[in-house]
């Protein structure tokens, strides 16, 4: 017996193609709608047995708010998320919102159909390889790309961070000194300390390292510094020496 279901995805072509394939397999597809914003209202009004809800960003905050609303107002509807290869956080967020399953966008139609049938039967519908990958990442988490930037940032004083940002902006010693209101010799000393702490031999290497590790993004904008006014010309004639 076919399942009464809905397909909701941001990509209309994908939604319509999937809906057509499921119809050919004997399922009753109520609608194939593109905008995810109106997904909850559409599903609540039609009350299918299963809803396939597509998403391109499973790890983004709020992605699964429609799932939570559907389960709150139509708890009998089983929601299966259709998305890219998720992180463990993505899978956890989907199920925490009330989803009954998670299927990859590139899954074969047979796999999608199995997930639909499992979800309708009240079972969790997640491919074993997805769970294996998720557990593997949880047990052996990959280092975050900005970990090194955070570590390097903690090695520098706030003054040295500002110096590094100015170096990355291409300022020379004279501009750094003027922008920070310090003597050129002091600015030069700060630059040397930054290079030493970062373990690099030149300003160019320091700027490249800061950009690569995300240190510049963490450092934030430079503090506002009022421009240094030019020296005022003397008014009045000099007296006789």
């Amino acid at each position: 017996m076919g399942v009464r279901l809905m397909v909701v995805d941001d990509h209309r072509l994908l939604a319509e193609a999937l809906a057509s394939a499921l119809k050919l397999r004997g399922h009753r597809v109520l609608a194939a709608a593109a905008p995810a914003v109106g997904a909850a209202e559409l599903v609540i009004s039609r009350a299918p047995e299963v809803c396939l809800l597509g998403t391109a960003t499973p790890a983004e905050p709020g992605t699964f708010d429609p799932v939570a609303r559907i389960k709150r107002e139509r708890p009998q509807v089983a929601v299966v998320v259709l998305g890219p290869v998720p992180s463990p956080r993505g899978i956890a967020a989907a199920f925490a919102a009330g989803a009954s399953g998670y299927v990859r966008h590139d899954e074969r139609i047979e796999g999608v159909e199995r997930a639909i049938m499992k979800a309708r039967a009240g079972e969790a519908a997640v491919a074993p390889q997805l769970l294996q990958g998720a557990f593997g990442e949880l047990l052996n988490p990959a280092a975050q790309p900005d970990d090194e930037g955070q570590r390097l940032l903690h090695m520098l004083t706030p003054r040295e961070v500002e110096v590094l940002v100015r170096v990355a902006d291409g300022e020379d010693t004279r501009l750094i000194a003027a922008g920070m209101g310090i003597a050129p010799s002091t600015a030069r000393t700060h630059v040397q300390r930054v290079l030493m702490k970062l373990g690099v031999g030149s300003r160019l290497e320091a700027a490249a390292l800061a950009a690569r590790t995300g240190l510049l993004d963490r450092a934030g904008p430079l503090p506002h510094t009022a421009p240094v006014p030019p020296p005022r010309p003397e008014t009045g004639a000099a007296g006789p020496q």
Side-chain angles (χ1 to χ4, degrees), residues 135-173:
F135 282 125
E137 187 173 336
L138 288 173
L139 293 173
N140 302 288
Q144 295 299 314
D146 59 359
D147 282 352
E148 187 180 0
Q150 183 66 35
R151 179 181 63 81
L152 294 174
L153 191 63
H154 285 158
M155 293 170 54
L156 305 176
T157 66
R159 210 76 189 271
E160 290 166 348
V161 171
E162 182 178 351
V163 168
L164 177 59
V165 173
R166 292 182 181 277
V167 166
D169 284 344
E171 295 186 8
D172 59 18
T173 301

PDB file of all heavy atoms in Angstrom, residues 135-173:
ATOM      1  N   PHE A 135      29.198   8.619  14.476  1.00  0.00           N
ATOM      2  CA  PHE A 135      29.843   8.128  15.693  1.00  0.00           C
ATOM      3  C   PHE A 135      31.364   8.214  15.575  1.00  0.00           C
ATOM      4  O   PHE A 135      32.050   8.520  16.553  1.00  0.00           O
ATOM      5  CB  PHE A 135      29.413   6.691  15.983  1.00  0.00           C
ATOM      6  CG  PHE A 135      28.046   6.581  16.599  1.00  0.00           C
ATOM      7  CD1 PHE A 135      27.072   5.793  16.021  1.00  0.00           C
ATOM      8  CD2 PHE A 135      27.734   7.271  17.758  1.00  0.00           C
ATOM      9  CE1 PHE A 135      25.804   5.697  16.572  1.00  0.00           C
ATOM     10  CE2 PHE A 135      26.465   7.184  18.318  1.00  0.00           C
ATOM     11  CZ  PHE A 135      25.501   6.391  17.724  1.00  0.00           C
ATOM     12  N   GLY A 136      31.878   7.948  14.375  1.00  0.00           N
ATOM     13  CA  GLY A 136      33.320   8.045  14.181  1.00  0.00           C
ATOM     14  C   GLY A 136      33.822   9.457  14.413  1.00  0.00           C
ATOM     15  O   GLY A 136      34.863   9.669  15.025  1.00  0.00           O
ATOM     16  N   GLU A 137      33.055  10.451  13.955  1.00  0.00           N
ATOM     17  CA  GLU A 137      33.467  11.840  14.152  1.00  0.00           C
ATOM     18  C   GLU A 137      33.351  12.250  15.611  1.00  0.00           C
ATOM     19  O   GLU A 137      34.155  13.025  16.122  1.00  0.00           O
ATOM     20  CB  GLU A 137      32.622  12.767  13.280  1.00  0.00           C
ATOM     21  CG  GLU A 137      33.110  14.208  13.299  1.00  0.00           C
ATOM     22  CD  GLU A 137      32.368  15.076  12.303  1.00  0.00           C
ATOM     23  OE1 GLU A 137      31.839  14.529  11.319  1.00  0.00           O
ATOM     24  OE2 GLU A 137      32.304  16.300  12.524  1.00  0.00           O
ATOM     25  N   LEU A 138      32.333  11.715  16.296  1.00  0.00           N
ATOM     26  CA  LEU A 138      32.178  12.027  17.719  1.00  0.00           C
ATOM     27  C   LEU A 138      33.315  11.418  18.539  1.00  0.00           C
ATOM     28  O   LEU A 138      33.810  12.035  19.488  1.00  0.00           O
ATOM     29  CB  LEU A 138      30.831  11.508  18.229  1.00  0.00           C
ATOM     30  CG  LEU A 138      29.586  12.265  17.767  1.00  0.00           C
ATOM     31  CD1 LEU A 138      28.331  11.540  18.201  1.00  0.00           C
ATOM     32  CD2 LEU A 138      29.587  13.692  18.323  1.00  0.00           C
ATOM     33  N   LEU A 139      33.729  10.206  18.170  1.00  0.00           N
ATOM     34  CA  LEU A 139      34.799   9.547  18.912  1.00  0.00           C
ATOM     35  C   LEU A 139      36.171  10.106  18.568  1.00  0.00           C
ATOM     36  O   LEU A 139      37.071  10.136  19.404  1.00  0.00           O
ATOM     37  CB  LEU A 139      34.770   8.039  18.630  1.00  0.00           C
ATOM     38  CG  LEU A 139      33.543   7.282  19.160  1.00  0.00           C
ATOM     39  CD1 LEU A 139      33.560   5.843  18.666  1.00  0.00           C
ATOM     40  CD2 LEU A 139      33.509   7.317  20.679  1.00  0.00           C
ATOM     41  N   ASN A 140      36.333  10.554  17.318  1.00  0.00           N
ATOM     42  CA  ASN A 140      37.610  11.110  16.877  1.00  0.00           C
ATOM     43  C   ASN A 140      37.363  12.450  16.208  1.00  0.00           C
ATOM     44  O   ASN A 140      37.458  12.569  14.979  1.00  0.00           O
ATOM     45  CB  ASN A 140      38.293  10.157  15.888  1.00  0.00           C
ATOM     46  CG  ASN A 140      38.530   8.791  16.495  1.00  0.00           C
ATOM     47  OD1 ASN A 140      39.385   8.623  17.354  1.00  0.00           O
ATOM     48  ND2 ASN A 140      37.763   7.804  16.049  1.00  0.00           N
ATOM     49  N   PRO A 141      37.021  13.455  16.995  1.00  0.00           N
ATOM     50  CA  PRO A 141      36.680  14.752  16.391  1.00  0.00           C
ATOM     51  C   PRO A 141      37.848  15.358  15.663  1.00  0.00           C
ATOM     52  O   PRO A 141      38.989  15.328  16.132  1.00  0.00           O
ATOM     53  CB  PRO A 141      36.278  15.606  17.609  1.00  0.00           C
ATOM     54  CG  PRO A 141      36.953  14.955  18.773  1.00  0.00           C
ATOM     55  CD  PRO A 141      36.993  13.491  18.462  1.00  0.00           C
ATOM     56  N   ALA A 142      37.556  15.906  14.499  1.00  0.00           N
ATOM     57  CA  ALA A 142      38.594  16.599  13.729  1.00  0.00           C
ATOM     58  C   ALA A 142      38.874  17.950  14.348  1.00  0.00           C
ATOM     59  O   ALA A 142      37.988  18.595  14.904  1.00  0.00           O
ATOM     60  CB  ALA A 142      38.133  16.768  12.277  1.00  0.00           C
ATOM     61  N   ALA A 143      40.120  18.375  14.277  1.00  0.00           N
ATOM     62  CA  ALA A 143      40.477  19.692  14.820  1.00  0.00           C
ATOM     63  C   ALA A 143      39.772  20.777  14.032  1.00  0.00           C
ATOM     64  O   ALA A 143      39.687  20.726  12.812  1.00  0.00           O
ATOM     65  CB  ALA A 143      41.986  19.889  14.753  1.00  0.00           C
ATOM     66  N   GLN A 144      39.232  21.720  14.737  1.00  0.00           N
ATOM     67  CA  GLN A 144      38.570  22.829  14.074  1.00  0.00           C
ATOM     68  C   GLN A 144      39.598  23.707  13.374  1.00  0.00           C
ATOM     69  O   GLN A 144      40.709  23.905  13.867  1.00  0.00           O
ATOM     70  CB  GLN A 144      37.797  23.674  15.110  1.00  0.00           C
ATOM     71  CG  GLN A 144      36.659  22.924  15.759  1.00  0.00           C
ATOM     72  CD  GLN A 144      35.631  22.485  14.738  1.00  0.00           C
ATOM     73  OE1 GLN A 144      35.237  23.277  13.892  1.00  0.00           O
ATOM     74  NE2 GLN A 144      35.211  21.235  14.814  1.00  0.00           N
ATOM     75  N   PRO A 145      39.252  24.268  12.207  1.00  0.00           N
ATOM     76  CA  PRO A 145      40.237  25.032  11.450  1.00  0.00           C
ATOM     77  C   PRO A 145      40.745  26.276  12.175  1.00  0.00           C
ATOM     78  O   PRO A 145      41.804  26.767  11.869  1.00  0.00           O
ATOM     79  CB  PRO A 145      39.472  25.427  10.174  1.00  0.00           C
ATOM     80  CG  PRO A 145      38.029  25.295  10.529  1.00  0.00           C
ATOM     81  CD  PRO A 145      37.972  24.188  11.529  1.00  0.00           C
ATOM     82  N   ASP A 146      39.983  26.771  13.141  1.00  0.00           N
ATOM     83  CA  ASP A 146      40.432  27.981  13.809  1.00  0.00           C
ATOM     84  C   ASP A 146      41.063  27.701  15.172  1.00  0.00           C
ATOM     85  O   ASP A 146      41.314  28.605  15.937  1.00  0.00           O
ATOM     86  CB  ASP A 146      39.261  28.965  13.969  1.00  0.00           C
ATOM     87  CG  ASP A 146      38.116  28.378  14.768  1.00  0.00           C
ATOM     88  OD1 ASP A 146      38.211  27.208  15.178  1.00  0.00           O
ATOM     89  OD2 ASP A 146      37.138  29.088  14.983  1.00  0.00           O
ATOM     90  N   ASP A 147      41.323  26.418  15.505  1.00  0.00           N
ATOM     91  CA  ASP A 147      41.943  26.098  16.778  1.00  0.00           C
ATOM     92  C   ASP A 147      43.321  26.745  16.893  1.00  0.00           C
ATOM     93  O   ASP A 147      43.683  27.273  17.937  1.00  0.00           O
ATOM     94  CB  ASP A 147      42.068  24.579  16.948  1.00  0.00           C
ATOM     95  CG  ASP A 147      40.747  23.951  17.354  1.00  0.00           C
ATOM     96  OD1 ASP A 147      39.811  24.699  17.637  1.00  0.00           O
ATOM     97  OD2 ASP A 147      40.664  22.710  17.381  1.00  0.00           O
ATOM     98  N   GLU A 148      44.092  26.668  15.827  1.00  0.00           N
ATOM     99  CA  GLU A 148      45.432  27.236  15.852  1.00  0.00           C
ATOM    100  C   GLU A 148      45.371  28.746  15.998  1.00  0.00           C
ATOM    101  O   GLU A 148      46.173  29.346  16.718  1.00  0.00           O
ATOM    102  CB  GLU A 148      46.198  26.866  14.572  1.00  0.00           C
ATOM    103  CG  GLU A 148      47.665  27.284  14.611  1.00  0.00           C
ATOM    104  CD  GLU A 148      48.410  26.905  13.342  1.00  0.00           C
ATOM    105  OE1 GLU A 148      47.779  26.311  12.445  1.00  0.00           O
ATOM    106  OE2 GLU A 148      49.607  27.209  13.259  1.00  0.00           O
ATOM    107  N   GLY A 149      44.401  29.361  15.337  1.00  0.00           N
ATOM    108  CA  GLY A 149      44.240  30.802  15.468  1.00  0.00           C
ATOM    109  C   GLY A 149      43.930  31.205  16.890  1.00  0.00           C
ATOM    110  O   GLY A 149      44.456  32.205  17.400  1.00  0.00           O
ATOM    111  N   GLN A 150      43.069  30.423  17.559  1.00  0.00           N
ATOM    112  CA  GLN A 150      42.737  30.723  18.954  1.00  0.00           C
ATOM    113  C   GLN A 150      43.961  30.581  19.848  1.00  0.00           C
ATOM    114  O   GLN A 150      44.207  31.400  20.723  1.00  0.00           O
ATOM    115  CB  GLN A 150      41.633  29.778  19.428  1.00  0.00           C
ATOM    116  CG  GLN A 150      41.149  30.044  20.850  1.00  0.00           C
ATOM    117  CD  GLN A 150      40.448  31.376  20.969  1.00  0.00           C
ATOM    118  OE1 GLN A 150      39.765  31.808  20.049  1.00  0.00           O
ATOM    119  NE2 GLN A 150      40.631  32.040  22.085  1.00  0.00           N
ATOM    120  N   ARG A 151      44.750  29.528  19.600  1.00  0.00           N
ATOM    121  CA  ARG A 151      45.961  29.311  20.402  1.00  0.00           C
ATOM    122  C   ARG A 151      46.954  30.459  20.218  1.00  0.00           C
ATOM    123  O   ARG A 151      47.526  30.965  21.186  1.00  0.00           O
ATOM    124  CB  ARG A 151      46.607  27.980  19.983  1.00  0.00           C
ATOM    125  CG  ARG A 151      47.890  27.653  20.743  1.00  0.00           C
ATOM    126  CD  ARG A 151      48.477  26.344  20.253  1.00  0.00           C
ATOM    127  NE  ARG A 151      48.872  26.422  18.853  1.00  0.00           N
ATOM    128  CZ  ARG A 151      50.011  26.953  18.451  1.00  0.00           C
ATOM    129  NH1 ARG A 151      50.855  27.495  19.324  1.00  0.00           N
ATOM    130  NH2 ARG A 151      50.329  26.968  17.167  1.00  0.00           N
ATOM    131  N   LEU A 152      47.167  30.862  18.967  1.00  0.00           N
ATOM    132  CA  LEU A 152      48.097  31.950  18.697  1.00  0.00           C
ATOM    133  C   LEU A 152      47.599  33.257  19.298  1.00  0.00           C
ATOM    134  O   LEU A 152      48.393  34.065  19.799  1.00  0.00           O
ATOM    135  CB  LEU A 152      48.293  32.111  17.186  1.00  0.00           C
ATOM    136  CG  LEU A 152      48.978  30.939  16.465  1.00  0.00           C
ATOM    137  CD1 LEU A 152      48.982  31.174  14.966  1.00  0.00           C
ATOM    138  CD2 LEU A 152      50.391  30.737  16.987  1.00  0.00           C
ATOM    139  N   LEU A 153      46.283  33.462  19.235  1.00  0.00           N
ATOM    140  CA  LEU A 153      45.716  34.696  19.777  1.00  0.00           C
ATOM    141  C   LEU A 153      45.980  34.808  21.271  1.00  0.00           C
ATOM    142  O   LEU A 153      46.260  35.900  21.792  1.00  0.00           O
ATOM    143  CB  LEU A 153      44.209  34.737  19.492  1.00  0.00           C
ATOM    144  CG  LEU A 153      43.489  36.063  19.758  1.00  0.00           C
ATOM    145  CD1 LEU A 153      44.026  37.160  18.855  1.00  0.00           C
ATOM    146  CD2 LEU A 153      41.984  35.895  19.534  1.00  0.00           C
ATOM    147  N   HIS A 154      45.915  33.677  21.967  1.00  0.00           N
ATOM    148  CA  HIS A 154      46.153  33.693  23.414  1.00  0.00           C
ATOM    149  C   HIS A 154      47.615  33.972  23.753  1.00  0.00           C
ATOM    150  O   HIS A 154      47.930  34.354  24.883  1.00  0.00           O
ATOM    151  CB  HIS A 154      45.732  32.352  24.025  1.00  0.00           C
ATOM    152  CG  HIS A 154      44.250  32.198  24.129  1.00  0.00           C
ATOM    153  ND1 HIS A 154      43.614  30.972  24.222  1.00  0.00           N
ATOM    154  CD2 HIS A 154      43.271  33.122  24.122  1.00  0.00           C
ATOM    155  CE1 HIS A 154      42.317  31.155  24.287  1.00  0.00           C
ATOM    156  NE2 HIS A 154      42.072  32.451  24.228  1.00  0.00           N
ATOM    157  N   MET A 155      48.523  33.774  22.802  1.00  0.00           N
ATOM    158  CA  MET A 155      49.936  34.018  23.045  1.00  0.00           C
ATOM    159  C   MET A 155      50.281  35.497  22.994  1.00  0.00           C
ATOM    160  O   MET A 155      51.321  35.916  23.511  1.00  0.00           O
ATOM    161  CB  MET A 155      50.780  33.278  21.996  1.00  0.00           C
ATOM    162  CG  MET A 155      50.718  31.766  22.098  1.00  0.00           C
ATOM    163  SD  MET A 155      51.484  30.955  20.663  1.00  0.00           S
ATOM    164  CE  MET A 155      53.102  31.724  20.664  1.00  0.00           C
ATOM    165  N   LEU A 156      49.436  36.293  22.370  1.00  0.00           N
ATOM    166  CA  LEU A 156      49.741  37.709  22.162  1.00  0.00           C
ATOM    167  C   LEU A 156      48.993  38.592  23.147  1.00  0.00           C
ATOM    168  O   LEU A 156      47.859  38.286  23.529  1.00  0.00           O
ATOM    169  CB  LEU A 156      49.364  38.115  20.730  1.00  0.00           C
ATOM    170  CG  LEU A 156      49.980  37.306  19.585  1.00  0.00           C
ATOM    171  CD1 LEU A 156      49.425  37.778  18.250  1.00  0.00           C
ATOM    172  CD2 LEU A 156      51.501  37.401  19.614  1.00  0.00           C
ATOM    173  N   THR A 157      49.625  39.686  23.512  1.00  0.00           N
ATOM    174  CA  THR A 157      48.931  40.680  24.326  1.00  0.00           C
ATOM    175  C   THR A 157      47.979  41.469  23.425  1.00  0.00           C
ATOM    176  O   THR A 157      48.123  41.452  22.194  1.00  0.00           O
ATOM    177  CB  THR A 157      49.938  41.653  24.965  1.00  0.00           C
ATOM    178  OG1 THR A 157      50.556  42.426  23.917  1.00  0.00           O
ATOM    179  CG2 THR A 157      51.010  40.905  25.758  1.00  0.00           C
ATOM    180  N   PRO A 158      46.980  42.160  23.999  1.00  0.00           N
ATOM    181  CA  PRO A 158      46.074  42.963  23.163  1.00  0.00           C
ATOM    182  C   PRO A 158      46.828  43.957  22.283  1.00  0.00           C
ATOM    183  O   PRO A 158      46.443  44.199  21.130  1.00  0.00           O
ATOM    184  CB  PRO A 158      45.200  43.679  24.192  1.00  0.00           C
ATOM    185  CG  PRO A 158      45.177  42.753  25.368  1.00  0.00           C
ATOM    186  CD  PRO A 158      46.550  42.145  25.403  1.00  0.00           C
ATOM    187  N   ARG A 159      47.919  44.541  22.803  1.00  0.00           N
ATOM    188  CA  ARG A 159      48.706  45.497  22.016  1.00  0.00           C
ATOM    189  C   ARG A 159      49.373  44.794  20.838  1.00  0.00           C
ATOM    190  O   ARG A 159      49.437  45.306  19.727  1.00  0.00           O
ATOM    191  CB  ARG A 159      49.752  46.152  22.917  1.00  0.00           C
ATOM    192  CG  ARG A 159      50.130  47.578  22.507  1.00  0.00           C
ATOM    193  CD  ARG A 159      49.023  48.523  22.920  1.00  0.00           C
ATOM    194  NE  ARG A 159      49.203  49.868  22.382  1.00  0.00           N
ATOM    195  CZ  ARG A 159      49.895  50.826  22.998  1.00  0.00           C
ATOM    196  NH1 ARG A 159      50.494  50.573  24.144  1.00  0.00           N
ATOM    197  NH2 ARG A 159      49.965  52.034  22.478  1.00  0.00           N
ATOM    198  N   GLU A 160      49.879  43.589  21.095  1.00  0.00           N
ATOM    199  CA  GLU A 160      50.541  42.837  20.027  1.00  0.00           C
ATOM    200  C   GLU A 160      49.546  42.365  18.973  1.00  0.00           C
ATOM    201  O   GLU A 160      49.879  42.305  17.785  1.00  0.00           O
ATOM    202  CB  GLU A 160      51.304  41.653  20.624  1.00  0.00           C
ATOM    203  CG  GLU A 160      52.527  42.083  21.438  1.00  0.00           C
ATOM    204  CD  GLU A 160      53.088  40.968  22.297  1.00  0.00           C
ATOM    205  OE1 GLU A 160      52.418  39.931  22.452  1.00  0.00           O
ATOM    206  OE2 GLU A 160      54.202  41.139  22.830  1.00  0.00           O
ATOM    207  N   VAL A 161      48.331  42.057  19.402  1.00  0.00           N
ATOM    208  CA  VAL A 161      47.287  41.681  18.440  1.00  0.00           C
ATOM    209  C   VAL A 161      47.002  42.849  17.500  1.00  0.00           C
ATOM    210  O   VAL A 161      46.889  42.687  16.282  1.00  0.00           O
ATOM    211  CB  VAL A 161      46.005  41.243  19.168  1.00  0.00           C
ATOM    212  CG1 VAL A 161      44.856  41.074  18.173  1.00  0.00           C
ATOM    213  CG2 VAL A 161      46.234  39.944  19.934  1.00  0.00           C
ATOM    214  N   GLU A 162      46.906  44.052  18.086  1.00  0.00           N
ATOM    215  CA  GLU A 162      46.665  45.235  17.257  1.00  0.00           C
ATOM    216  C   GLU A 162      47.815  45.452  16.281  1.00  0.00           C
ATOM    217  O   GLU A 162      47.597  45.778  15.107  1.00  0.00           O
ATOM    218  CB  GLU A 162      46.480  46.471  18.127  1.00  0.00           C
ATOM    219  CG  GLU A 162      46.188  47.729  17.300  1.00  0.00           C
ATOM    220  CD  GLU A 162      45.959  48.970  18.151  1.00  0.00           C
ATOM    221  OE1 GLU A 162      45.851  48.832  19.390  1.00  0.00           O
ATOM    222  OE2 GLU A 162      45.887  50.068  17.566  1.00  0.00           O
ATOM    223  N   VAL A 163      49.042  45.246  16.749  1.00  0.00           N
ATOM    224  CA  VAL A 163      50.202  45.392  15.878  1.00  0.00           C
ATOM    225  C   VAL A 163      50.113  44.394  14.725  1.00  0.00           C
ATOM    226  O   VAL A 163      50.356  44.734  13.560  1.00  0.00           O
ATOM    227  CB  VAL A 163      51.505  45.192  16.672  1.00  0.00           C
ATOM    228  CG1 VAL A 163      52.701  45.047  15.731  1.00  0.00           C
ATOM    229  CG2 VAL A 163      51.734  46.357  17.619  1.00  0.00           C
ATOM    230  N   LEU A 164      49.742  43.140  15.034  1.00  0.00           N
ATOM    231  CA  LEU A 164      49.640  42.113  14.003  1.00  0.00           C
ATOM    232  C   LEU A 164      48.575  42.472  12.966  1.00  0.00           C
ATOM    233  O   LEU A 164      48.789  42.298  11.757  1.00  0.00           O
ATOM    234  CB  LEU A 164      49.320  40.766  14.640  1.00  0.00           C
ATOM    235  CG  LEU A 164      49.102  39.606  13.667  1.00  0.00           C
ATOM    236  CD1 LEU A 164      50.340  39.380  12.795  1.00  0.00           C
ATOM    237  CD2 LEU A 164      48.754  38.331  14.434  1.00  0.00           C
ATOM    238  N   VAL A 165      47.441  42.973  13.439  1.00  0.00           N
ATOM    239  CA  VAL A 165      46.388  43.374  12.502  1.00  0.00           C
ATOM    240  C   VAL A 165      46.885  44.486  11.592  1.00  0.00           C
ATOM    241  O   VAL A 165      46.630  44.495  10.380  1.00  0.00           O
ATOM    242  CB  VAL A 165      45.124  43.814  13.268  1.00  0.00           C
ATOM    243  CG1 VAL A 165      44.078  44.390  12.306  1.00  0.00           C
ATOM    244  CG2 VAL A 165      44.521  42.641  14.035  1.00  0.00           C
ATOM    245  N   ARG A 166      47.608  45.430  12.146  1.00  0.00           N
ATOM    246  CA  ARG A 166      48.142  46.538  11.346  1.00  0.00           C
ATOM    247  C   ARG A 166      49.203  46.039  10.360  1.00  0.00           C
ATOM    248  O   ARG A 166      49.277  46.504   9.216  1.00  0.00           O
ATOM    249  CB  ARG A 166      48.714  47.625  12.253  1.00  0.00           C
ATOM    250  CG  ARG A 166      47.644  48.349  13.077  1.00  0.00           C
ATOM    251  CD  ARG A 166      48.225  49.453  13.929  1.00  0.00           C
ATOM    252  NE  ARG A 166      47.197  50.118  14.722  1.00  0.00           N
ATOM    253  CZ  ARG A 166      46.408  51.086  14.269  1.00  0.00           C
ATOM    254  NH1 ARG A 166      46.555  51.511  13.015  1.00  0.00           N
ATOM    255  NH2 ARG A 166      45.502  51.635  15.042  1.00  0.00           N
ATOM    256  N   VAL A 167      50.004  45.085  10.789  1.00  0.00           N
ATOM    257  CA  VAL A 167      50.990  44.489   9.883  1.00  0.00           C
ATOM    258  C   VAL A 167      50.271  43.801   8.722  1.00  0.00           C
ATOM    259  O   VAL A 167      50.660  43.932   7.560  1.00  0.00           O
ATOM    260  CB  VAL A 167      51.879  43.483  10.646  1.00  0.00           C
ATOM    261  CG1 VAL A 167      52.674  42.612   9.660  1.00  0.00           C
ATOM    262  CG2 VAL A 167      52.830  44.207  11.581  1.00  0.00           C
ATOM    263  N   ALA A 168      49.214  43.059   9.043  1.00  0.00           N
ATOM    264  CA  ALA A 168      48.444  42.377   8.000  1.00  0.00           C
ATOM    265  C   ALA A 168      47.769  43.366   7.057  1.00  0.00           C
ATOM    266  O   ALA A 168      47.525  43.048   5.890  1.00  0.00           O
ATOM    267  CB  ALA A 168      47.406  41.463   8.636  1.00  0.00           C
ATOM    268  N   ASP A 169      47.463  44.561   7.558  1.00  0.00           N
ATOM    269  CA  ASP A 169      46.872  45.605   6.715  1.00  0.00           C
ATOM    270  C   ASP A 169      47.905  46.313   5.853  1.00  0.00           C
ATOM    271  O   ASP A 169      47.567  47.224   5.090  1.00  0.00           O
ATOM    272  CB  ASP A 169      46.144  46.630   7.584  1.00  0.00           C
ATOM    273  CG  ASP A 169      44.809  46.105   8.090  1.00  0.00           C
ATOM    274  OD1 ASP A 169      44.324  45.098   7.535  1.00  0.00           O
ATOM    275  OD2 ASP A 169      44.242  46.706   9.028  1.00  0.00           O
ATOM    276  N   GLY A 170      49.178  45.933   6.037  1.00  0.00           N
ATOM    277  CA  GLY A 170      50.223  46.505   5.204  1.00  0.00           C
ATOM    278  C   GLY A 170      50.860  47.765   5.771  1.00  0.00           C
ATOM    279  O   GLY A 170      51.614  48.454   5.056  1.00  0.00           O
ATOM    280  N   GLU A 171      50.599  48.080   7.036  1.00  0.00           N
ATOM    281  CA  GLU A 171      51.194  49.286   7.622  1.00  0.00           C
ATOM    282  C   GLU A 171      52.671  49.057   7.945  1.00  0.00           C
ATOM    283  O   GLU A 171      53.053  47.992   8.439  1.00  0.00           O
ATOM    284  CB  GLU A 171      50.443  49.680   8.895  1.00  0.00           C
ATOM    285  CG  GLU A 171      49.001  50.100   8.655  1.00  0.00           C
ATOM    286  CD  GLU A 171      48.340  50.624   9.926  1.00  0.00           C
ATOM    287  OE1 GLU A 171      49.050  50.790  10.937  1.00  0.00           O
ATOM    288  OE2 GLU A 171      47.113  50.854   9.895  1.00  0.00           O
ATOM    289  N   ASP A 172      53.494  50.070   7.668  1.00  0.00           N
ATOM    290  CA  ASP A 172      54.893  49.981   8.050  1.00  0.00           C
ATOM    291  C   ASP A 172      55.060  50.492   9.474  1.00  0.00           C
ATOM    292  O   ASP A 172      54.090  50.883  10.138  1.00  0.00           O
ATOM    293  CB  ASP A 172      55.778  50.749   7.068  1.00  0.00           C
ATOM    294  CG  ASP A 172      55.400  52.231   6.972  1.00  0.00           C
ATOM    295  OD1 ASP A 172      54.707  52.744   7.881  1.00  0.00           O
ATOM    296  OD2 ASP A 172      55.797  52.876   5.986  1.00  0.00           O
ATOM    297  N   THR A 173      56.294  50.493   9.945  1.00  0.00           N
ATOM    298  CA  THR A 173      56.557  50.875  11.340  1.00  0.00           C
ATOM    299  C   THR A 173      56.055  52.289  11.636  1.00  0.00           C
ATOM    300  O   THR A 173      55.477  52.555  12.697  1.00  0.00           O
ATOM    301  CB  THR A 173      58.058  50.788  11.638  1.00  0.00           C
ATOM    302  OG1 THR A 173      58.501  49.446  11.407  1.00  0.00           O
ATOM    303  CG2 THR A 173      58.343  51.145  13.091  1.00  0.00           C
TER     304      THR A 173
END
